[in-house]
Amino acid sequence: MFATRPEIRPATVEVLVDGQPCRVPEGASAAAALLLAGLPASRETPVSGAPACPTA
């Protein structure tokens, strides 16, 4: 996917994901915060109940 350039460091903010602090780039979406926190799934599909990842 996309990667940030190493010489450009965006400002970060700390958010709590499942009660654990996680630093994310300023302006990142909630879905991006879940992915950066390493959560495997945040919801279930309505038909089968299978775990589903966030869509960023």
mmCIF file of all heavy atoms in Angstrom:
data_model
loop_
_atom_site.group_PDB
_atom_site.id
_atom_site.type_symbol
_atom_site.label_atom_id
_atom_site.label_comp_id
_atom_site.label_asym_id
_atom_site.label_seq_id
_atom_site.Cartn_x
_atom_site.Cartn_y
_atom_site.Cartn_z
ATOM 1 N N MET A 1 0.841 -1.176 0.000
ATOM 2 C CA MET A 1 0.000 0.000 0.000
ATOM 3 C C MET A 1 0.885 1.238 0.000
ATOM 4 O O MET A 1 2.011 1.204 -0.418
ATOM 5 C CB MET A 1 -0.913 0.011 1.236
ATOM 6 C CG MET A 1 -2.026 -0.990 1.244
ATOM 7 S SD MET A 1 -3.623 -0.588 0.579
ATOM 8 C CE MET A 1 -4.248 0.800 1.334
ATOM 9 N N PHE A 2 0.356 2.296 0.567
ATOM 10 C CA PHE A 2 1.079 3.543 0.605
ATOM 11 C C PHE A 2 1.969 3.592 1.837
ATOM 12 O O PHE A 2 1.636 3.042 2.878
ATOM 13 C CB PHE A 2 0.104 4.725 0.636
ATOM 14 C CG PHE A 2 -0.744 4.802 -0.596
ATOM 15 C CD1 PHE A 2 -2.042 4.336 -0.582
ATOM 16 C CD2 PHE A 2 -0.241 5.325 -1.765
ATOM 17 C CE1 PHE A 2 -2.831 4.393 -1.709
ATOM 18 C CE2 PHE A 2 -1.011 5.389 -2.905
ATOM 19 C CZ PHE A 2 -2.316 4.923 -2.876
ATOM 20 N N ALA A 3 3.081 4.244 1.715
ATOM 21 C CA ALA A 3 3.987 4.427 2.849
ATOM 22 C C ALA A 3 4.346 5.909 2.933
ATOM 23 O O ALA A 3 4.414 6.598 1.915
ATOM 24 C CB ALA A 3 5.251 3.602 2.663
ATOM 25 N N THR A 4 4.549 6.382 4.158
ATOM 26 C CA THR A 4 4.955 7.775 4.313
ATOM 27 C C THR A 4 6.441 7.890 4.018
ATOM 28 O O THR A 4 7.203 6.950 4.249
ATOM 29 C CB THR A 4 4.676 8.283 5.733
ATOM 30 O OG1 THR A 4 5.339 7.441 6.657
ATOM 31 C CG2 THR A 4 3.189 8.285 6.035
ATOM 32 N N ARG A 5 6.823 9.011 3.510
ATOM 33 C CA ARG A 5 8.238 9.243 3.237
ATOM 34 C C ARG A 5 8.956 9.420 4.561
ATOM 35 O O ARG A 5 8.461 10.105 5.456
ATOM 36 C CB ARG A 5 8.393 10.475 2.354
ATOM 37 C CG ARG A 5 7.823 10.234 0.971
ATOM 38 C CD ARG A 5 7.842 11.452 0.083
ATOM 39 N NE ARG A 5 8.932 12.365 0.316
ATOM 40 C CZ ARG A 5 8.999 13.555 -0.224
ATOM 41 N NH1 ARG A 5 8.047 13.980 -1.012
ATOM 42 N NH2 ARG A 5 10.011 14.349 0.029
ATOM 43 N N PRO A 6 10.116 8.780 4.737
ATOM 44 C CA PRO A 6 10.787 8.823 6.038
ATOM 45 C C PRO A 6 11.214 10.218 6.482
ATOM 46 O O PRO A 6 11.277 10.492 7.673
ATOM 47 C CB PRO A 6 11.999 7.917 5.854
ATOM 48 C CG PRO A 6 12.130 7.684 4.408
ATOM 49 C CD PRO A 6 10.814 7.994 3.760
ATOM 50 N N GLU A 7 11.459 11.122 5.536
ATOM 51 C CA GLU A 7 11.897 12.458 5.923
ATOM 52 C C GLU A 7 10.727 13.362 6.310
ATOM 53 O O GLU A 7 10.920 14.441 6.843
ATOM 54 C CB GLU A 7 12.736 13.115 4.816
ATOM 55 C CG GLU A 7 11.980 13.441 3.551
ATOM 56 C CD GLU A 7 11.885 12.296 2.557
ATOM 57 O OE1 GLU A 7 12.221 11.158 2.881
ATOM 58 O OE2 GLU A 7 11.447 12.569 1.434
ATOM 59 N N ILE A 8 9.511 12.920 6.041
ATOM 60 C CA ILE A 8 8.332 13.699 6.407
ATOM 61 C C ILE A 8 7.600 12.959 7.523
ATOM 62 O O ILE A 8 7.079 11.874 7.330
ATOM 63 C CB ILE A 8 7.392 13.901 5.199
ATOM 64 C CG1 ILE A 8 8.108 14.658 4.096
ATOM 65 C CG2 ILE A 8 6.126 14.612 5.624
ATOM 66 C CD1 ILE A 8 7.315 14.800 2.816
ATOM 67 N N ARG A 9 7.582 13.545 8.696
ATOM 68 C CA ARG A 9 6.918 12.933 9.848
ATOM 69 C C ARG A 9 5.679 13.744 10.200
ATOM 70 O O ARG A 9 5.787 14.862 10.687
ATOM 71 C CB ARG A 9 7.854 12.894 11.059
ATOM 72 C CG ARG A 9 9.100 12.096 10.854
ATOM 73 C CD ARG A 9 8.755 10.643 10.967
ATOM 74 N NE ARG A 9 9.956 9.859 10.744
ATOM 75 C CZ ARG A 9 9.953 8.563 10.597
ATOM 76 N NH1 ARG A 9 8.826 7.922 10.650
ATOM 77 N NH2 ARG A 9 11.065 7.917 10.407
ATOM 78 N N PRO A 10 4.487 13.197 9.918
ATOM 79 C CA PRO A 10 3.277 13.947 10.272
ATOM 80 C C PRO A 10 3.108 14.007 11.789
ATOM 81 O O PRO A 10 3.604 13.145 12.512
ATOM 82 C CB PRO A 10 2.151 13.136 9.637
ATOM 83 C CG PRO A 10 2.710 11.749 9.522
ATOM 84 C CD PRO A 10 4.196 11.907 9.335
ATOM 85 N N ALA A 11 2.427 15.023 12.239
ATOM 86 C CA ALA A 11 2.106 15.123 13.663
ATOM 87 C C ALA A 11 1.234 13.927 14.043
ATOM 88 O O ALA A 11 0.459 13.431 13.234
ATOM 89 C CB ALA A 11 1.366 16.429 13.934
ATOM 90 N N THR A 12 1.408 13.430 15.249
ATOM 91 C CA THR A 12 0.607 12.294 15.688
ATOM 92 C C THR A 12 -0.235 12.682 16.895
ATOM 93 O O THR A 12 0.076 13.639 17.598
ATOM 94 C CB THR A 12 1.490 11.092 16.066
ATOM 95 O OG1 THR A 12 2.378 11.471 17.113
ATOM 96 C CG2 THR A 12 2.288 10.584 14.876
ATOM 97 N N VAL A 13 -1.298 11.932 17.085
ATOM 98 C CA VAL A 13 -2.152 12.091 18.251
ATOM 99 C C VAL A 13 -2.304 10.715 18.893
ATOM 100 O O VAL A 13 -2.140 9.689 18.233
ATOM 101 C CB VAL A 13 -3.536 12.672 17.898
ATOM 102 C CG1 VAL A 13 -3.417 14.085 17.380
ATOM 103 C CG2 VAL A 13 -4.255 11.806 16.893
ATOM 104 N N GLU A 14 -2.601 10.709 20.177
ATOM 105 C CA GLU A 14 -2.807 9.438 20.872
ATOM 106 C C GLU A 14 -4.296 9.209 21.053
ATOM 107 O O GLU A 14 -5.011 10.089 21.525
ATOM 108 C CB GLU A 14 -2.105 9.456 22.228
ATOM 109 C CG GLU A 14 -2.195 8.124 22.952
ATOM 110 C CD GLU A 14 -1.373 8.128 24.223
ATOM 111 O OE1 GLU A 14 -1.931 8.517 25.266
ATOM 112 O OE2 GLU A 14 -0.196 7.757 24.154
ATOM 113 N N VAL A 15 -4.760 8.038 20.634
ATOM 114 C CA VAL A 15 -6.152 7.651 20.818
ATOM 115 C C VAL A 15 -6.187 6.330 21.581
ATOM 116 O O VAL A 15 -5.200 5.599 21.609
ATOM 117 C CB VAL A 15 -6.895 7.501 19.468
ATOM 118 C CG1 VAL A 15 -6.964 8.820 18.731
ATOM 119 C CG2 VAL A 15 -6.237 6.449 18.601
ATOM 120 N N LEU A 16 -7.305 6.045 22.202
ATOM 121 C CA LEU A 16 -7.471 4.775 22.903
ATOM 122 C C LEU A 16 -8.260 3.824 22.015
ATOM 123 O O LEU A 16 -9.343 4.154 21.535
ATOM 124 C CB LEU A 16 -8.200 4.971 24.231
ATOM 125 C CG LEU A 16 -7.461 5.796 25.278
ATOM 126 C CD1 LEU A 16 -8.322 5.959 26.520
ATOM 127 C CD2 LEU A 16 -6.135 5.158 25.630
ATOM 128 N N VAL A 17 -7.699 2.646 21.800
ATOM 129 C CA VAL A 17 -8.360 1.602 21.027
ATOM 130 C C VAL A 17 -8.508 0.405 21.952
ATOM 131 O O VAL A 17 -7.511 -0.162 22.391
ATOM 132 C CB VAL A 17 -7.543 1.234 19.767
ATOM 133 C CG1 VAL A 17 -8.238 0.126 18.997
ATOM 134 C CG2 VAL A 17 -7.336 2.449 18.881
ATOM 135 N N ASP A 18 -9.720 0.043 22.267
ATOM 136 C CA ASP A 18 -9.988 -1.020 23.249
ATOM 137 C C ASP A 18 -9.267 -0.760 24.562
ATOM 138 O O ASP A 18 -8.719 -1.654 25.195
ATOM 139 C CB ASP A 18 -9.590 -2.390 22.698
ATOM 140 C CG ASP A 18 -10.734 -3.097 22.006
ATOM 141 O OD1 ASP A 18 -11.863 -2.589 22.054
ATOM 142 O OD2 ASP A 18 -10.499 -4.171 21.437
ATOM 143 N N GLY A 19 -9.206 0.510 24.950
ATOM 144 C CA GLY A 19 -8.589 0.890 26.223
ATOM 145 C C GLY A 19 -7.077 0.999 26.187
ATOM 146 O O GLY A 19 -6.456 1.345 27.186
ATOM 147 N N GLN A 20 -6.455 0.721 25.045
ATOM 148 C CA GLN A 20 -5.001 0.792 24.921
ATOM 149 C C GLN A 20 -4.609 2.014 24.086
ATOM 150 O O GLN A 20 -5.215 2.277 23.038
ATOM 151 C CB GLN A 20 -4.456 -0.477 24.235
ATOM 152 C CG GLN A 20 -4.760 -1.752 24.991
ATOM 153 C CD GLN A 20 -4.124 -1.759 26.372
ATOM 154 O OE1 GLN A 20 -2.964 -1.398 26.540
ATOM 155 N NE2 GLN A 20 -4.905 -2.142 27.367
ATOM 156 N N PRO A 21 -3.584 2.761 24.526
ATOM 157 C CA PRO A 21 -3.159 3.929 23.743
ATOM 158 C C PRO A 21 -2.519 3.518 22.416
ATOM 159 O O PRO A 21 -1.825 2.510 22.340
ATOM 160 C CB PRO A 21 -2.151 4.625 24.653
ATOM 161 C CG PRO A 21 -1.702 3.595 25.618
ATOM 162 C CD PRO A 21 -2.802 2.584 25.741
ATOM 163 N N CYS A 22 -2.809 4.290 21.393
ATOM 164 C CA CYS A 22 -2.245 4.039 20.063
ATOM 165 C C CYS A 22 -1.959 5.393 19.426
ATOM 166 O O CYS A 22 -2.814 6.272 19.395
ATOM 167 C CB CYS A 22 -3.250 3.249 19.222
ATOM 168 S SG CYS A 22 -2.691 2.921 17.539
ATOM 169 N N ARG A 23 -0.737 5.601 18.919
ATOM 170 C CA ARG A 23 -0.378 6.843 18.245
ATOM 171 C C ARG A 23 -0.688 6.709 16.758
ATOM 172 O O ARG A 23 -0.299 5.738 16.124
ATOM 173 C CB ARG A 23 1.097 7.163 18.455
ATOM 174 C CG ARG A 23 1.401 7.253 19.921
ATOM 175 C CD ARG A 23 2.183 8.389 20.458
ATOM 176 N NE ARG A 23 2.168 9.683 19.899
ATOM 177 C CZ ARG A 23 1.554 10.742 20.463
ATOM 178 N NH1 ARG A 23 0.882 10.592 21.573
ATOM 179 N NH2 ARG A 23 1.644 11.913 19.928
ATOM 180 N N VAL A 24 -1.440 7.671 16.255
ATOM 181 C CA VAL A 24 -1.828 7.669 14.843
ATOM 182 C C VAL A 24 -1.524 9.032 14.233
ATOM 183 O O VAL A 24 -1.474 10.030 14.948
ATOM 184 C CB VAL A 24 -3.328 7.319 14.671
ATOM 185 C CG1 VAL A 24 -3.636 5.927 15.193
ATOM 186 C CG2 VAL A 24 -4.214 8.340 15.342
ATOM 187 N N PRO A 25 -1.320 9.083 12.922
ATOM 188 C CA PRO A 25 -1.100 10.388 12.280
ATOM 189 C C PRO A 25 -2.314 11.294 12.462
ATOM 190 O O PRO A 25 -3.460 10.833 12.425
ATOM 191 C CB PRO A 25 -0.911 10.040 10.804
ATOM 192 C CG PRO A 25 -0.541 8.603 10.781
ATOM 193 C CD PRO A 25 -1.210 7.981 11.964
ATOM 194 N N GLU A 26 -2.045 12.559 12.684
ATOM 195 C CA GLU A 26 -3.123 13.543 12.829
ATOM 196 C C GLU A 26 -4.001 13.498 11.590
ATOM 197 O O GLU A 26 -3.511 13.474 10.469
ATOM 198 C CB GLU A 26 -2.509 14.933 13.004
ATOM 199 C CG GLU A 26 -3.496 16.012 13.297
ATOM 200 C CD GLU A 26 -2.821 17.346 13.534
ATOM 201 O OE1 GLU A 26 -1.691 17.547 13.066
ATOM 202 O OE2 GLU A 26 -3.431 18.188 14.185
ATOM 203 N N GLY A 27 -5.306 13.434 11.785
ATOM 204 C CA GLY A 27 -6.248 13.403 10.672
ATOM 205 C C GLY A 27 -6.579 12.002 10.193
ATOM 206 O O GLY A 27 -7.381 11.846 9.277
ATOM 207 N N ALA A 28 -5.977 10.964 10.789
ATOM 208 C CA ALA A 28 -6.264 9.589 10.379
ATOM 209 C C ALA A 28 -7.699 9.222 10.754
ATOM 210 O O ALA A 28 -8.252 9.726 11.723
ATOM 211 C CB ALA A 28 -5.284 8.622 11.039
ATOM 212 N N SER A 29 -8.276 8.331 9.978
ATOM 213 C CA SER A 29 -9.653 7.893 10.254
ATOM 214 C C SER A 29 -9.678 6.905 11.413
ATOM 215 O O SER A 29 -8.648 6.343 11.808
ATOM 216 C CB SER A 29 -10.238 7.223 9.006
ATOM 217 O OG SER A 29 -9.544 6.009 8.744
ATOM 218 N N ALA A 30 -10.863 6.671 11.936
ATOM 219 C CA ALA A 30 -11.024 5.679 13.001
ATOM 220 C C ALA A 30 -10.645 4.290 12.491
ATOM 221 O O ALA A 30 -10.029 3.500 13.215
ATOM 222 C CB ALA A 30 -12.462 5.693 13.510
ATOM 223 N N ALA A 31 -10.966 3.981 11.243
ATOM 224 C CA ALA A 31 -10.602 2.688 10.668
ATOM 225 C C ALA A 31 -9.088 2.531 10.611
ATOM 226 O O ALA A 31 -8.549 1.464 10.902
ATOM 227 C CB ALA A 31 -11.208 2.536 9.273
ATOM 228 N N ALA A 32 -8.380 3.600 10.259
ATOM 229 C CA ALA A 32 -6.916 3.547 10.224
ATOM 230 C C ALA A 32 -6.353 3.306 11.617
ATOM 231 O O ALA A 32 -5.394 2.546 11.784
ATOM 232 C CB ALA A 32 -6.360 4.844 9.633
ATOM 233 N N ALA A 33 -6.953 3.917 12.636
ATOM 234 C CA ALA A 33 -6.496 3.702 14.008
ATOM 235 C C ALA A 33 -6.672 2.244 14.414
ATOM 236 O O ALA A 33 -5.798 1.663 15.063
ATOM 237 C CB ALA A 33 -7.250 4.619 14.967
ATOM 238 N N LEU A 34 -7.786 1.625 14.028
ATOM 239 C CA LEU A 34 -8.000 0.207 14.338
ATOM 240 C C LEU A 34 -6.948 -0.664 13.663
ATOM 241 O O LEU A 34 -6.412 -1.598 14.261
ATOM 242 C CB LEU A 34 -9.396 -0.238 13.902
ATOM 243 C CG LEU A 34 -10.572 0.374 14.652
ATOM 244 C CD1 LEU A 34 -11.890 -0.067 14.028
ATOM 245 C CD2 LEU A 34 -10.528 0.003 16.123
ATOM 246 N N LEU A 35 -6.637 -0.365 12.406
ATOM 247 C CA LEU A 35 -5.626 -1.141 11.691
ATOM 248 C C LEU A 35 -4.246 -0.946 12.307
ATOM 249 O O LEU A 35 -3.490 -1.912 12.482
ATOM 250 C CB LEU A 35 -5.603 -0.748 10.208
ATOM 251 C CG LEU A 35 -6.832 -1.152 9.402
ATOM 252 C CD1 LEU A 35 -6.794 -0.510 8.021
ATOM 253 C CD2 LEU A 35 -6.917 -2.662 9.286
ATOM 254 N N LEU A 36 -3.900 0.298 12.654
ATOM 255 C CA LEU A 36 -2.593 0.563 13.264
ATOM 256 C C LEU A 36 -2.463 -0.092 14.635
ATOM 257 O O LEU A 36 -1.373 -0.481 15.044
ATOM 258 C CB LEU A 36 -2.365 2.073 13.372
ATOM 259 C CG LEU A 36 -2.080 2.776 12.062
ATOM 260 C CD1 LEU A 36 -2.138 4.287 12.242
ATOM 261 C CD2 LEU A 36 -0.732 2.361 11.507
ATOM 262 N N ALA A 37 -3.583 -0.248 15.337
ATOM 263 C CA ALA A 37 -3.560 -0.891 16.650
ATOM 264 C C ALA A 37 -3.417 -2.409 16.524
ATOM 265 O O ALA A 37 -3.176 -3.097 17.508
ATOM 266 C CB ALA A 37 -4.821 -0.545 17.434
ATOM 267 N N GLY A 38 -3.571 -2.930 15.306
ATOM 268 C CA GLY A 38 -3.397 -4.361 15.082
ATOM 269 C C GLY A 38 -4.616 -5.209 15.387
ATOM 270 O O GLY A 38 -4.503 -6.415 15.555
ATOM 271 N N LEU A 39 -5.791 -4.594 15.455
ATOM 272 C CA LEU A 39 -6.994 -5.379 15.716
ATOM 273 C C LEU A 39 -7.347 -6.222 14.490
ATOM 274 O O LEU A 39 -7.339 -5.717 13.372
ATOM 275 C CB LEU A 39 -8.171 -4.466 16.069
ATOM 276 C CG LEU A 39 -8.048 -3.708 17.376
ATOM 277 C CD1 LEU A 39 -9.291 -2.864 17.610
ATOM 278 C CD2 LEU A 39 -7.842 -4.652 18.536
ATOM 279 N N PRO A 40 -7.645 -7.486 14.681
ATOM 280 C CA PRO A 40 -7.924 -8.353 13.536
ATOM 281 C C PRO A 40 -9.275 -8.083 12.881
ATOM 282 O O PRO A 40 -9.434 -8.246 11.693
ATOM 283 C CB PRO A 40 -7.888 -9.759 14.128
ATOM 284 C CG PRO A 40 -8.206 -9.567 15.565
ATOM 285 C CD PRO A 40 -7.682 -8.197 15.938
ATOM 286 N N ALA A 41 -10.280 -7.688 13.649
ATOM 287 C CA ALA A 41 -11.610 -7.421 13.087
ATOM 288 C C ALA A 41 -12.347 -6.478 14.018
ATOM 289 O O ALA A 41 -12.139 -6.483 15.227
ATOM 290 C CB ALA A 41 -12.396 -8.713 12.925
ATOM 291 N N SER A 42 -13.204 -5.668 13.437
ATOM 292 C CA SER A 42 -13.955 -4.713 14.254
ATOM 293 C C SER A 42 -15.462 -4.915 14.149
ATOM 294 O O SER A 42 -16.217 -4.263 14.840
ATOM 295 C CB SER A 42 -13.612 -3.291 13.845
ATOM 296 O OG SER A 42 -13.996 -3.075 12.494
ATOM 297 N N ARG A 43 -15.886 -5.821 13.288
ATOM 298 C CA ARG A 43 -17.316 -6.058 13.120
ATOM 299 C C ARG A 43 -17.520 -7.456 12.561
ATOM 300 O O ARG A 43 -16.557 -8.168 12.291
ATOM 301 C CB ARG A 43 -17.938 -5.007 12.192
ATOM 302 C CG ARG A 43 -17.321 -5.002 10.807
ATOM 303 C CD ARG A 43 -17.843 -3.834 9.960
ATOM 304 N NE ARG A 43 -17.216 -3.837 8.660
ATOM 305 C CZ ARG A 43 -17.703 -4.460 7.597
ATOM 306 N NH1 ARG A 43 -18.832 -5.124 7.671
ATOM 307 N NH2 ARG A 43 -17.076 -4.422 6.446
ATOM 308 N N GLU A 44 -18.768 -7.817 12.386
ATOM 309 C CA GLU A 44 -19.116 -9.109 11.803
ATOM 310 C C GLU A 44 -20.009 -8.879 10.592
ATOM 311 O O GLU A 44 -20.789 -7.926 10.557
ATOM 312 C CB GLU A 44 -19.851 -9.977 12.816
ATOM 313 C CG GLU A 44 -19.012 -10.330 14.025
ATOM 314 C CD GLU A 44 -19.802 -11.083 15.079
ATOM 315 O OE1 GLU A 44 -21.047 -11.109 15.006
ATOM 316 O OE2 GLU A 44 -19.163 -11.639 15.977
ATOM 317 N N THR A 45 -19.900 -9.774 9.611
ATOM 318 C CA THR A 45 -20.763 -9.643 8.444
ATOM 319 C C THR A 45 -22.190 -10.005 8.836
ATOM 320 O O THR A 45 -22.416 -10.866 9.686
ATOM 321 C CB THR A 45 -20.284 -10.562 7.286
ATOM 322 O OG1 THR A 45 -20.307 -11.911 7.743
ATOM 323 C CG2 THR A 45 -18.891 -10.188 6.829
ATOM 324 N N PRO A 46 -23.188 -9.338 8.230
ATOM 325 C CA PRO A 46 -24.563 -9.565 8.656
ATOM 326 C C PRO A 46 -25.113 -10.955 8.305
ATOM 327 O O PRO A 46 -25.964 -11.470 9.001
ATOM 328 C CB PRO A 46 -25.357 -8.471 7.929
ATOM 329 C CG PRO A 46 -24.478 -7.967 6.860
ATOM 330 C CD PRO A 46 -23.072 -8.282 7.239
ATOM 331 N N VAL A 47 -24.638 -11.577 7.245
ATOM 332 C CA VAL A 47 -25.199 -12.855 6.826
ATOM 333 C C VAL A 47 -24.588 -14.029 7.577
ATOM 334 O O VAL A 47 -25.283 -14.806 8.215
ATOM 335 C CB VAL A 47 -25.031 -13.041 5.301
ATOM 336 C CG1 VAL A 47 -25.515 -14.407 4.868
ATOM 337 C CG2 VAL A 47 -25.779 -11.945 4.545
ATOM 338 N N SER A 48 -23.253 -14.139 7.533
ATOM 339 C CA SER A 48 -22.608 -15.322 8.132
ATOM 340 C C SER A 48 -22.043 -15.086 9.513
ATOM 341 O O SER A 48 -21.695 -16.026 10.210
ATOM 342 C CB SER A 48 -21.487 -15.805 7.205
ATOM 343 O OG SER A 48 -20.428 -14.859 7.198
ATOM 344 N N GLY A 49 -21.897 -13.809 9.911
ATOM 345 C CA GLY A 49 -21.300 -13.520 11.210
ATOM 346 C C GLY A 49 -19.785 -13.634 11.204
ATOM 347 O O GLY A 49 -19.151 -13.631 12.254
ATOM 348 N N ALA A 50 -19.181 -13.734 10.020
ATOM 349 C CA ALA A 50 -17.730 -13.842 9.897
ATOM 350 C C ALA A 50 -17.086 -12.520 10.305
ATOM 351 O O ALA A 50 -17.650 -11.446 10.071
ATOM 352 C CB ALA A 50 -17.337 -14.180 8.470
ATOM 353 N N PRO A 51 -15.891 -12.564 10.918
ATOM 354 C CA PRO A 51 -15.202 -11.324 11.286
ATOM 355 C C PRO A 51 -14.850 -10.506 10.042
ATOM 356 O O PRO A 51 -14.536 -11.063 8.991
ATOM 357 C CB PRO A 51 -13.942 -11.782 12.003
ATOM 358 C CG PRO A 51 -13.941 -13.254 11.986
ATOM 359 C CD PRO A 51 -15.153 -13.744 11.286
ATOM 360 N N ALA A 52 -14.921 -9.196 10.171
ATOM 361 C CA ALA A 52 -14.604 -8.300 9.060
ATOM 362 C C ALA A 52 -13.689 -7.193 9.544
ATOM 363 O O ALA A 52 -13.840 -6.700 10.653
ATOM 364 C CB ALA A 52 -15.877 -7.714 8.468
ATOM 365 N N CYS A 53 -12.757 -6.820 8.702
ATOM 366 C CA CYS A 53 -11.813 -5.741 9.024
ATOM 367 C C CYS A 53 -12.425 -4.399 8.637
ATOM 368 O O CYS A 53 -13.332 -4.345 7.811
ATOM 369 C CB CYS A 53 -10.510 -5.940 8.261
ATOM 370 S SG CYS A 53 -9.599 -7.392 8.803
ATOM 371 N N PRO A 54 -11.886 -3.315 9.211
ATOM 372 C CA PRO A 54 -12.386 -2.007 8.804
ATOM 373 C C PRO A 54 -11.972 -1.695 7.371
ATOM 374 O O PRO A 54 -10.996 -2.244 6.865
ATOM 375 C CB PRO A 54 -11.712 -1.051 9.782
ATOM 376 C CG PRO A 54 -10.565 -1.785 10.323
ATOM 377 C CD PRO A 54 -10.868 -3.237 10.219
ATOM 378 N N THR A 55 -12.736 -0.852 6.736
ATOM 379 C CA THR A 55 -12.386 -0.395 5.395
ATOM 380 C C THR A 55 -11.941 1.049 5.507
ATOM 381 O O THR A 55 -12.680 1.896 6.003
ATOM 382 C CB THR A 55 -13.570 -0.517 4.435
ATOM 383 O OG1 THR A 55 -14.679 0.181 4.984
ATOM 384 C CG2 THR A 55 -13.949 -1.958 4.198
ATOM 385 N N ALA A 56 -10.723 1.307 5.113
ATOM 386 C CA ALA A 56 -10.179 2.653 5.230
ATOM 387 C C ALA A 56 -10.243 3.378 3.908
ATOM 388 O O ALA A 56 -10.369 2.820 2.879
ATOM 389 C CB ALA A 56 -8.744 2.600 5.705
#
